[in-house]
Amino acid sequence: MLLLRRVCFLLPSPSPRAPLAKPLPLLLRPPRTLPSAARALASMAAPAAPAGGTAAMSRDAFRAAVTNTLERRLFFVPSFKIYGGVAGLYDYGPPGCAVKANVLAFWRQHFVLEEGMLEVDCPCVTPEVVLKASGHVDKFTDLMVKDEKTGNCYRADHLLKDFCKDKLEKDQTLSPEQAEEYNKILAILDDLSAEQLGAKIKEYGIVAPDTKNPLSDPYPFNLMFQTSIGPSGLSPGYMRPETAQGIFVNFKDLYYYNGNKLPFAAAQIGQAFRNEISPRQGLLRVREFTLAEIEHFVDPEDKSHPKFGDVSDLEFLMFPREDQMAGRSATRLKLGNAVSEGTVNNETLGYFIGRVYLFLTQLGIDKDRLRFRQHLPNEMAHYAADCWDAEIECSYGWIECVGIADRSAYDLRAHSDKSGEKLEAHEKFAEPREVEKLVITPSKKELGLAFKGNQRMVLEALEAMGETEALDMKATLESKGEVEFKVCTLGKDVTIKKSMVSINIEKKKEHQRKFTPSVIEPSFGIGRIIYCLFEHCFYQRPGKAEDEQLNVFGFPPLVAPIKCTVFPLVKLEKFEVVAKKISKALTAAGISHIIDMTGNTIGKRYARTDELGVPLAITVDNTTSVTVRDRDSKDQIRVEVDEVASVVKEVMDGQSTWADIMWRYPTHTASAAEDEAEP
């Protein structure tokens, strides 16, 4: 899944790398002023905390601090909590909804609007025949084991992976040979069959984590939620495991809408569903999630991109398959070089990798904890030209958040074959071209006499033959007079005689070329991106009390759930009148804000909104001018009441930075009351 990778019914998950010998500490800090956490992680030891900063924390402690703050401030909470909750289901609260809405709004601007994409919105309930064609019904599975006494279910590969990682991280008595074996298991985990997984589980004595009971042999479990369409139950369907199939089945109409021109892209944002066997890792592995997917249709003979030059100079962490297989680390590569040298298959794929990099870093993802990892040979589908994952490092390790794949023409061909509808594009020639063309002419009369009611299915199967198969049939018919031919829709072989079909290669003049387009697919797991964004933006700073740490989300204005707050310094009517006037101006400017007239000290109100990630706070302490405070630096300036809304809008829209504003307005020294922090 891409996210939840949308092609996971065909591609295994990324091969895990060998785990580190011990958990790595994370430094909690304002991202603007301290070194990147990626360097702290790479050093395998926390750097010394800066003056006034916080001490390093373990991954688990850091994650607990982030999650506690997110749940306490209602960014997200377990669904149906009063009934005990359901694993893998979460509710977004008000600030979480706002962050998600801001991320999706920027996604639409960055991709749909800037690239002129066609956005669609398709149903979540999908007929079985569609997902049969795509391969999901047969292959969208994970291997599952059951507790033989309680019936509790677990993913077999997760149990084996956890066992090997636990041994490598905690068992000080491991011999080099044993360590090598466990590392090898982790490297080939995705290639193990059900029988091989079961054998390793038994060999290592792995039991059910909760009860220590023995486990069943692994068996495949389809991850889709099944349903039926209509009251009769005769029309089976599924909750969609991805949004892409709705785009593929609408290709013909979208192509017409686009003036029968290629290339073009269609996009969709929507809910997808995956019945995870044993959900874990919070928002990173859930049963219902939001996907944002793009299907960029392109001529397979021309995958250049007119705007590739806009991103070719970008340089960022890339992890080609050769480096992975050689045991090397990701390195910074220039995107233009990666494409020209063939590391990235083509310009269009490279263009979207660059655009994904810009999208994620502008959201607030730390560029030093973002890499693009190429799929290994064992992950690649046979039809795929190239695949890369945008992986973001968080306390759970490197997490795949976006998949960018060149899927060739597989999807459109699969739906063409199943539906009988030609999902093709065409290129008109300036001058007619003489080409050799395979012509298959079945004899309807002979087929009708031989197959009666099955005539249509045999005829369609003959007409759908590829050139190689047809020429082989022609040779056999000429030498033997008849041939056995498999008709998939009948599910059996039939005997075709020479009188039933004519197969020839003829020279024809063509005015156009018909072809099935290739698809470049960027697929975004929005929940995963948001969780990694939470971690990348979170830091702590000292409070007034000894050993007190105050939590802050350093969201960029682009994604901050609330852009600013308005606080009357004290409960006076004249200040409240000014606060309401400012609130009205902010609303007119389209700036989300809250106005807090409670009796709490201004320091406590600052601390509360810092936990919500609010970039700016306006303190009404005068009737003509007010104080504006920056969340991360805590610097304050004086601004006239009539100007404050426009100043906030400048910063929120990215027209000016806080540093720019500081040059233009006088600084303000906080009073003791203003500087008091929430205990």
Coordinates of all heavy atoms in Angstrom, one line a residue, residues 47-130:
P47 N 24.2 14.5 19.9 CA 25.2 15.6 20.2 C 24.8 16.3 21.5 O 23.7 16.1 22.0 CB 25.0 16.5 19.0 CG 23.6 16.2 18.5 CD 23.3 14.8 18.8
A48 N 25.8 17.0 21.9 CA 25.5 17.7 23.2 C 24.4 18.7 22.9 O 24.3 19.4 21.9 CB 26.8 18.5 23.6
A49 N 23.5 18.8 23.9 CA 22.3 19.7 23.8 C 22.9 21.2 23.8 O 23.7 21.5 24.6 CB 21.3 19.5 24.9
P50 N 22.3 22.1 23.0 CA 22.8 23.4 23.0 C 22.3 24.1 24.3 O 21.5 23.6 25.0 CB 22.0 24.1 21.8 CG 20.9 23.2 21.6 CD 21.2 21.8 22.0
A51 N 22.9 25.3 24.6 CA 22.6 26.0 25.8 C 21.1 26.2 25.9 O 20.5 26.8 24.9 CB 23.4 27.3 25.9
G52 N 20.5 25.9 26.9 CA 19.0 26.1 27.1 C 18.2 25.1 26.4 O 17.0 25.1 26.4
G53 N 18.8 24.1 25.7 CA 18.0 23.1 24.9 C 17.7 21.9 25.8 O 17.9 21.9 27.0
T54 N 17.2 20.9 25.2 CA 16.8 19.7 25.9 C 17.8 18.6 25.7 O 18.5 18.6 24.8 CB 15.4 19.2 25.5 OG1 15.5 18.9 24.1 CG2 14.4 20.3 25.7
A55 N 17.8 17.6 26.6 CA 18.7 16.5 26.5 C 18.1 15.5 25.4 O 16.9 15.6 25.0 CB 18.8 15.8 27.8
A56 N 19.0 14.7 24.9 CA 18.5 13.7 23.9 C 17.6 12.7 24.5 O 17.6 12.4 25.7 CB 19.8 13.0 23.4
M57 N 16.7 12.1 23.7 CA 15.7 11.1 24.1 C 15.9 9.9 23.2 O 16.3 10.0 22.1 CB 14.3 11.7 24.0 CG 14.0 12.9 24.8 SD 12.3 13.5 24.5 CE 11.4 12.3 25.4
S58 N 15.5 8.8 23.7 CA 15.4 7.6 22.9 C 14.3 7.7 21.9 O 13.4 8.5 22.1 CB 15.2 6.3 23.8 OG 13.9 6.3 24.3
R59 N 14.3 6.8 20.9 CA 13.2 6.8 19.9 C 11.9 6.6 20.6 O 10.9 7.3 20.3 CB 13.4 5.7 18.9 CG 14.6 5.9 17.9 CD 14.7 4.7 17.0 NE 15.8 4.9 16.0 CZ 15.6 5.4 14.8 NH1 14.5 5.8 14.4 NH2 16.7 5.4 14.0
D60 N 11.8 5.6 21.5 CA 10.5 5.3 22.2 C 10.0 6.5 23.0 O 8.8 6.8 23.0 CB 10.7 4.1 23.1 CG 10.9 2.8 22.3 OD1 10.6 2.8 21.0 OD2 11.3 1.8 22.8
A61 N 10.9 7.1 23.8 CA 10.5 8.3 24.6 C 10.1 9.4 23.7 O 9.1 10.1 24.0 CB 11.7 8.7 25.5
F62 N 10.8 9.7 22.6 CA 10.4 10.7 21.7 C 9.0 10.5 21.1 O 8.2 11.3 21.1 CB 11.4 10.8 20.6 CG 11.1 11.8 19.5 CD1 11.3 13.2 19.7 CD2 10.6 11.4 18.3 CE1 10.9 14.1 18.7 CE2 10.2 12.3 17.3 CZ 10.4 13.6 17.5
R63 N 8.8 9.2 20.7 CA 7.5 8.9 20.1 C 6.4 9.0 21.1 O 5.3 9.5 20.8 CB 7.5 7.4 19.6 CG 6.3 7.0 18.8 CD 6.3 5.5 18.5 NE 7.5 5.1 17.9 CZ 8.3 4.1 18.2 NH1 7.9 3.3 19.2 NH2 9.4 3.8 17.6
A64 N 6.7 8.6 22.4 CA 5.7 8.7 23.4 C 5.3 10.2 23.7 O 4.1 10.5 23.9 CB 6.2 8.1 24.7
A65 N 6.3 11.1 23.7 CA 6.1 12.5 23.9 C 5.2 13.1 22.8 O 4.3 13.9 23.0 CB 7.4 13.3 24.0
V66 N 5.5 12.7 21.5 CA 4.8 13.2 20.4 C 3.3 12.7 20.4 O 2.4 13.5 20.3 CB 5.4 12.8 19.0 CG1 4.6 13.2 17.9 CG2 6.8 13.4 18.9
T67 N 3.2 11.4 20.6 CA 1.8 10.8 20.6 C 1.0 11.3 21.7 O -0.2 11.6 21.5 CB 1.9 9.3 20.7 OG1 2.8 8.8 19.6 CG2 0.6 8.6 20.6
N68 N 1.6 11.5 22.9 CA 0.8 12.0 24.0 C 0.3 13.4 23.7 O -0.9 13.7 24.0 CB 1.7 12.0 25.3 CG 1.0 12.7 26.5 OD1 1.1 13.9 26.7 ND2 0.3 11.9 27.2
T69 N 1.1 14.2 23.1 CA 0.7 15.6 22.8 C -0.3 15.6 21.7 O -1.3 16.3 21.8 CB 1.9 16.4 22.4 OG1 3.0 16.3 23.3 CG2 1.6 17.9 22.2
L70 N -0.2 14.8 20.7 CA -1.2 14.7 19.7 C -2.5 14.3 20.2 O -3.6 14.8 19.8 CB -0.7 13.7 18.6 CG 0.5 14.2 17.7 CD1 1.0 13.0 16.9 CD2 0.1 15.3 16.8
E71 N -2.6 13.3 21.0 CA -3.8 12.8 21.5 C -4.4 13.7 22.5 O -5.7 14.0 22.5 CB -3.7 11.4 22.1 CG -3.3 10.3 21.1 CD -3.5 8.9 21.6 OE1 -4.0 8.7 22.7 OE2 -3.0 8.0 20.9
R72 N -3.6 14.3 23.4 CA -4.1 15.3 24.4 C -4.7 16.5 23.7 O -5.7 17.1 24.2 CB -3.0 15.6 25.4 CG -3.4 16.5 26.5 CD -2.3 16.4 27.6 NE -1.0 16.5 27.1 CZ -0.4 17.7 26.8 NH1 -1.0 18.8 26.9 NH2 0.9 17.7 26.3
R73 N -4.1 17.0 22.7 CA -4.5 18.2 21.9 C -5.5 17.8 20.8 O -5.9 18.6 20.0 CB -3.4 19.0 21.4 CG -2.5 19.6 22.5 CD -3.4 20.5 23.3 NE -2.6 21.3 24.3 CZ -3.1 21.9 25.4 NH1 -4.4 21.9 25.5 NH2 -2.4 22.5 26.2
L74 N -5.9 16.5 20.8 CA -7.0 16.0 19.9 C -6.6 16.2 18.4 O -7.5 16.4 17.6 CB -8.3 16.8 20.2 CG -9.6 15.9 20.0 CD1 -9.6 14.7 20.9 CD2 -10.8 16.7 20.2
F75 N -5.4 16.0 18.1 CA -5.0 15.9 16.7 C -5.6 14.6 16.1 O -6.2 14.6 15.0 CB -3.5 15.9 16.5 CG -2.9 17.3 16.6 CD1 -2.5 17.9 17.8 CD2 -2.7 18.0 15.4 CE1 -1.9 19.1 17.8 CE2 -2.1 19.3 15.4 CZ -1.7 19.9 16.7
F76 N -5.4 13.5 16.8 CA -6.1 12.3 16.5 C -6.2 11.4 17.7 O -5.5 11.6 18.7 CB -5.4 11.5 15.4 CG -4.0 10.9 15.8 CD1 -4.0 9.6 16.4 CD2 -2.9 11.6 15.6 CE1 -2.8 9.1 16.7 CE2 -1.6 11.0 15.9 CZ -1.6 9.8 16.5
V77 N -7.2 10.6 17.7 CA -7.5 9.7 18.9 C -8.0 8.3 18.3 O -8.5 8.3 17.2 CB -8.6 10.2 19.8 CG1 -8.0 11.5 20.6 CG2 -9.9 10.5 19.1
P78 N -7.8 7.2 19.1 CA -8.4 6.0 18.6 C -9.9 6.1 18.4 O -10.6 6.7 19.2 CB -8.1 5.0 19.8 CG -6.9 5.6 20.4 CD -7.1 7.1 20.3
S79 N -10.4 5.5 17.3 CA -11.8 5.5 17.0 C -12.6 4.7 18.1 O -12.1 3.7 18.5 CB -12.1 5.0 15.6 OG -11.5 5.8 14.7
F80 N -13.8 5.1 18.3 CA -14.8 4.3 19.2 C -14.1 4.1 20.6 O -14.3 3.0 21.1 CB -15.2 3.0 18.5 CG -15.5 3.2 17.0 CD1 -14.7 2.6 16.1 CD2 -16.6 3.9 16.6 CE1 -15.0 2.8 14.7 CE2 -16.9 4.1 15.3 CZ -16.1 3.5 14.3
K81 N -13.4 5.0 21.1 CA -12.6 4.9 22.3 C -13.5 4.4 23.5 O -13.1 3.6 24.3 CB -11.9 6.2 22.6 CG -10.9 6.0 23.7 CD -9.9 7.2 23.7 CE -10.6 8.5 24.0 NZ -9.6 9.6 24.2
I82 N -14.7 5.0 23.6 CA -15.5 4.7 24.8 C -16.0 3.2 24.8 O -16.5 2.7 25.8 CB -16.8 5.6 24.9 CG1 -17.7 5.4 23.7 CG2 -16.3 7.1 25.1 CD1 -19.0 6.2 23.9
Y83 N -15.9 2.5 23.6 CA -16.2 1.1 23.5 C -15.0 0.2 23.5 O -15.1 -0.9 23.1 CB -17.1 0.9 22.3 CG -18.5 1.4 22.4 CD1 -18.8 2.7 21.8 CD2 -19.5 0.8 23.1 CE1 -20.0 3.2 21.9 CE2 -20.7 1.3 23.2 CZ -21.0 2.5 22.6 OH -22.3 3.0 22.7
G84 N -13.8 0.8 23.8 CA -12.6 0.1 23.8 C -11.8 0.2 22.5 O -10.7 -0.3 22.5
G85 N -12.3 0.9 21.5 CA -11.5 1.2 20.3 C -11.5 -0.1 19.4 O -11.8 -1.2 19.8
V86 N -11.0 0.2 18.1 CA -10.8 -0.9 17.2 C -9.4 -0.6 16.6 O -9.1 0.5 16.1 CB -11.9 -0.8 16.0 CG1 -11.6 -1.9 15.0 CG2 -13.3 -1.0 16.6
A87 N -8.6 -1.6 16.6 CA -7.2 -1.5 16.1 C -7.2 -1.1 14.7 O -8.0 -1.6 13.9 CB -6.5 -2.8 16.3
G88 N -6.3 -0.1 14.4 CA -6.2 0.3 13.0 C -7.2 1.4 12.5 O -7.2 1.7 11.3
L89 N -8.0 1.9 13.4 CA -9.0 2.9 13.1 C -8.8 4.1 14.0 O -8.7 4.0 15.2 CB -10.4 2.5 13.2 CG -10.8 1.3 12.2 CD1 -12.2 0.9 12.5 CD2 -10.7 1.7 10.8
Y90 N -8.7 5.4 13.4 CA -8.4 6.6 14.2 C -9.3 7.7 13.7 O -9.7 7.8 12.5 CB -6.9 7.0 14.0 CG -6.0 6.1 14.7 CD1 -5.4 5.0 14.0 CD2 -5.6 6.2 16.0 CE1 -4.5 4.1 14.6 CE2 -4.7 5.4 16.7 CZ -4.2 4.3 16.0 OH -3.3 3.4 16.6
D91 N -9.6 8.6 14.6 CA -10.4 9.8 14.3 C -9.5 11.0 14.4 O -8.6 11.1 15.3 CB -11.5 10.0 15.4 CG -12.5 8.9 15.4 OD1 -12.7 8.3 14.4 OD2 -13.2 8.8 16.4
Y92 N -9.6 11.9 13.4 CA -8.9 13.1 13.4 C -9.8 14.2 14.2 O -10.9 14.3 13.9 CB -8.6 13.7 12.0 CG -7.5 13.0 11.3 CD1 -7.7 11.8 10.5 CD2 -6.2 13.5 11.4 CE1 -6.7 11.2 9.8 CE2 -5.1 12.8 10.7 CZ -5.4 11.7 9.9 OH -4.4 11.1 9.2
G93 N -9.2 14.8 15.2 CA -9.9 15.9 15.9 C -9.7 17.2 15.1 O -9.2 17.3 14.0
P94 N -10.2 18.3 15.7 CA -10.2 19.6 15.0 C -8.8 20.0 14.5 O -8.7 20.3 13.3 CB -10.8 20.6 16.1 CG -11.6 19.8 16.9 CD -11.0 18.4 17.0
P95 N -7.8 20.0 15.3 CA -6.5 20.5 14.7 C -5.9 19.4 13.7 O -5.3 19.8 12.7 CB -5.5 20.6 15.9 CG -6.1 19.7 17.0 CD -7.6 19.8 16.7
G96 N -6.2 18.2 13.9 CA -5.8 17.1 12.9 C -6.5 17.3 11.6 O -5.9 17.2 10.5
C97 N -7.8 17.6 11.7 CA -8.6 17.8 10.4 C -8.0 19.0 9.7 O -7.9 19.0 8.4 CB -10.0 18.0 10.8 SG -11.0 16.5 11.1
A98 N -7.7 20.0 10.4 CA -7.1 21.2 9.8 C -5.8 21.0 9.1 O -5.6 21.4 8.0 CB -7.0 22.4 10.8
V99 N -4.9 20.2 9.8 CA -3.6 19.9 9.2 C -3.8 19.1 7.9 O -3.2 19.3 6.9 CB -2.7 19.1 10.2 CG1 -1.5 18.6 9.5 CG2 -2.3 20.1 11.3
K100 N -4.7 18.1 8.0 CA -5.0 17.2 6.9 C -5.6 18.0 5.7 O -5.2 17.9 4.5 CB -6.0 16.1 7.3 CG -6.3 15.1 6.2 CD -7.2 14.0 6.7 CE -7.6 13.1 5.5 NZ -8.5 12.0 6.0
A101 N -6.5 18.9 6.0 CA -7.1 19.7 5.0 C -6.1 20.6 4.3 O -6.1 20.8 3.1 CB -8.2 20.6 5.5
N102 N -5.2 21.2 5.1 CA -4.1 22.0 4.5 C -3.1 21.3 3.7 O -2.7 21.7 2.6 CB -3.3 22.7 5.7 CG -4.2 23.7 6.4 OD1 -5.2 24.2 5.9 ND2 -3.8 24.1 7.6
V103 N -2.8 20.0 4.1 CA -1.9 19.2 3.3 C -2.6 18.8 2.0 O -1.9 18.9 0.9 CB -1.6 17.9 4.1 CG1 -0.9 16.9 3.1 CG2 -0.6 18.2 5.2
L104 N -3.9 18.5 2.0 CA -4.6 18.1 0.7 C -4.8 19.4 -0.1 O -4.7 19.3 -1.4 CB -5.9 17.5 1.1 CG -5.8 16.1 1.7 CD1 -7.2 15.6 2.1 CD2 -5.1 15.1 0.8
A105 N -5.0 20.5 0.5 CA -5.1 21.7 -0.4 C -3.8 22.1 -1.1 O -3.8 22.4 -2.3 CB -5.6 22.9 0.5
F106 N -2.7 21.9 -0.4 CA -1.4 22.1 -1.0 C -1.1 21.1 -2.1 O -0.6 21.4 -3.1 CB -0.3 22.2 0.0 CG 1.0 22.5 -0.5 CD1 1.3 23.6 -1.3 CD2 2.1 21.6 -0.4 CE1 2.5 23.9 -1.8 CE2 3.4 21.8 -0.9 CZ 3.6 23.0 -1.6
W107 N -1.5 19.8 -1.8 CA -1.4 18.8 -2.8 C -2.1 19.1 -4.1 O -1.6 19.0 -5.2 CB -1.9 17.4 -2.3 CG -1.6 16.2 -3.1 CD1 -0.4 15.5 -3.1 CD2 -2.4 15.7 -4.1 NE1 -0.5 14.5 -4.0 CE2 -1.7 14.5 -4.7 CE3 -3.6 16.0 -4.7 CZ2 -2.2 13.8 -5.7 CZ3 -4.1 15.2 -5.7 CH2 -3.4 14.1 -6.2
R108 N -3.3 19.6 -4.0 CA -4.1 20.0 -5.1 C -3.4 21.1 -5.9 O -3.4 21.1 -7.1 CB -5.5 20.4 -4.7 CG -6.5 19.3 -4.5 CD -7.9 19.8 -4.5 NE -8.9 18.7 -4.5 CZ -9.4 18.1 -3.5 NH1 -9.0 18.5 -2.3 NH2 -10.2 17.1 -3.6
Q109 N -3.0 22.1 -5.1 CA -2.3 23.3 -5.8 C -1.0 22.8 -6.5 O -0.8 23.2 -7.6 CB -2.0 24.4 -4.8 CG -1.3 25.6 -5.4 CD -0.6 26.4 -4.4 OE1 -0.9 26.4 -3.2 NE2 0.5 27.1 -4.8
H110 N -0.2 22.0 -5.8 CA 1.1 21.7 -6.3 C 1.1 20.7 -7.4 O 1.9 20.8 -8.3 CB 1.9 21.0 -5.1 CG 3.3 20.8 -5.4 ND1 4.3 21.8 -5.3 CD2 4.0 19.6 -5.7 CE1 5.5 21.3 -5.6 NE2 5.4 20.0 -5.8
F111 N 0.1 19.8 -7.5 CA 0.0 18.9 -8.5 C -1.2 19.1 -9.5 O -1.0 19.4 -10.7 CB -0.1 17.4 -8.0 CG 1.1 17.0 -7.3 CD1 1.2 16.9 -5.9 CD2 2.2 16.6 -8.0 CE1 2.4 16.5 -5.3 CE2 3.4 16.2 -7.4 CZ 3.5 16.1 -6.0
V112 N -2.4 19.1 -9.0 CA -3.6 19.2 -9.9 C -3.6 20.5 -10.6 O -3.7 20.6 -11.8 CB -4.9 19.0 -9.1 CG1 -6.1 19.2 -10.0 CG2 -4.9 17.7 -8.4
L113 N -3.4 21.7 -9.9 CA -3.5 23.0 -10.5 C -2.3 23.3 -11.4 O -2.4 23.7 -12.5 CB -3.8 24.1 -9.5 CG -5.1 24.0 -8.7 CD1 -5.2 25.1 -7.7 CD2 -6.3 24.0 -9.7
E114 N -1.1 23.1 -10.8 CA 0.1 23.5 -11.5 C 0.4 22.6 -12.7 O 1.0 23.0 -13.6 CB 1.3 23.5 -10.5 CG 1.3 24.6 -9.5 CD 2.6 24.7 -8.8 OE1 3.6 24.4 -9.3 OE2 2.5 25.2 -7.6
E115 N -0.1 21.3 -12.7 CA 0.2 20.4 -13.8 C -1.0 20.3 -14.7 O -1.0 19.5 -15.7 CB 0.6 19.0 -13.2 CG 1.8 19.1 -12.3 CD 3.1 19.5 -13.0 OE1 3.2 19.4 -14.2 OE2 4.0 20.0 -12.3
G116 N -2.1 21.0 -14.4 CA -3.3 20.9 -15.2 C -3.9 19.5 -15.3 O -4.3 19.0 -16.3
M117 N -4.0 18.8 -14.1 CA -4.5 17.5 -14.1 C -6.0 17.5 -14.0 O -6.7 18.5 -13.7 CB -4.0 16.8 -12.8 CG -2.5 16.6 -12.8 SD -1.9 15.8 -11.3 CE -0.1 15.6 -11.7
L118 N -6.6 16.3 -14.4 CA -8.0 16.2 -14.4 C -8.4 15.4 -13.1 O -8.0 14.3 -13.0 CB -8.5 15.3 -15.6 CG -8.0 15.8 -17.0 CD1 -8.5 14.9 -18.1 CD2 -8.4 17.3 -17.3
E119 N -9.1 16.1 -12.2 CA -9.5 15.4 -11.0 C -10.8 14.7 -11.1 O -11.8 15.2 -11.6 CB -9.5 16.4 -9.8 CG -9.7 15.8 -8.5 CD -9.6 16.8 -7.3 OE1 -9.3 17.9 -7.5 OE2 -9.7 16.3 -6.1
V120 N -10.9 13.5 -10.5 CA -12.1 12.7 -10.5 C -12.4 12.3 -9.1 O -11.6 12.4 -8.2 CB -12.0 11.5 -11.4 CG1 -11.8 11.9 -12.9 CG2 -10.9 10.5 -10.9
D121 N -13.6 11.8 -8.8 CA -14.0 11.3 -7.5 C -14.9 10.1 -7.8 O -16.0 10.2 -8.3 CB -14.8 12.4 -6.8 CG -15.1 12.0 -5.4 OD1 -14.7 10.9 -4.9 OD2 -15.8 12.8 -4.6
C122 N -14.4 8.9 -7.5 CA -15.1 7.7 -7.8 C -15.5 7.0 -6.5 O -15.0 7.3 -5.4 CB -14.1 6.8 -8.6 SG -13.4 7.5 -10.1
P123 N -16.5 6.1 -6.6 CA -17.0 5.4 -5.4 C -16.0 4.6 -4.7 O -15.1 4.0 -5.3 CB -18.2 4.5 -6.0 CG -18.5 5.1 -7.4 CD -17.2 5.6 -7.9
C124 N -16.2 4.4 -3.4 CA -15.4 3.5 -2.6 C -15.8 2.1 -2.8 O -14.9 1.2 -2.7 CB -15.5 3.9 -1.1 SG -14.8 5.5 -0.6
V125 N -17.0 1.8 -3.1 CA -17.5 0.4 -3.3 C -17.2 0.1 -4.8 O -17.6 0.8 -5.7 CB -19.0 0.2 -3.0 CG1 -19.4 -1.2 -3.3 CG2 -19.2 0.6 -1.5
T126 N -16.5 -1.0 -5.0 CA -16.0 -1.4 -6.3 C -16.5 -2.8 -6.7 O -16.4 -3.7 -5.9 CB -14.5 -1.4 -6.4 OG1 -14.0 -0.1 -6.0 CG2 -14.0 -1.6 -7.8
P127 N -17.1 -3.0 -7.9 CA -17.6 -4.3 -8.3 C -16.4 -5.3 -8.3 O -15.3 -4.9 -8.7 CB -18.2 -4.1 -9.7 CG -18.5 -2.6 -9.7 CD -17.5 -2.0 -8.9
E128 N -16.7 -6.6 -8.1 CA -15.6 -7.6 -8.0 C -14.9 -7.7 -9.4 O -13.7 -7.9 -9.4 CB -16.3 -8.9 -7.6 CG -15.2 -10.0 -7.5 CD -15.8 -11.4 -7.2 OE1 -16.7 -11.8 -7.9 OE2 -15.4 -12.0 -6.2
V129 N -15.7 -7.6 -10.5 CA -15.1 -7.8 -11.8 C -13.9 -6.8 -12.0 O -12.9 -7.1 -12.7 CB -16.1 -7.7 -12.9 CG1 -16.7 -6.2 -13.0 CG2 -15.5 -8.1 -14.2
V130 N -14.0 -5.6 -11.5 CA -13.0 -4.6 -11.7 C -11.7 -5.0 -11.0 O -10.6 -4.9 -11.5 CB -13.4 -3.2 -11.2 CG1 -12.3 -2.2 -11.2 CG2 -14.6 -2.7 -12.0

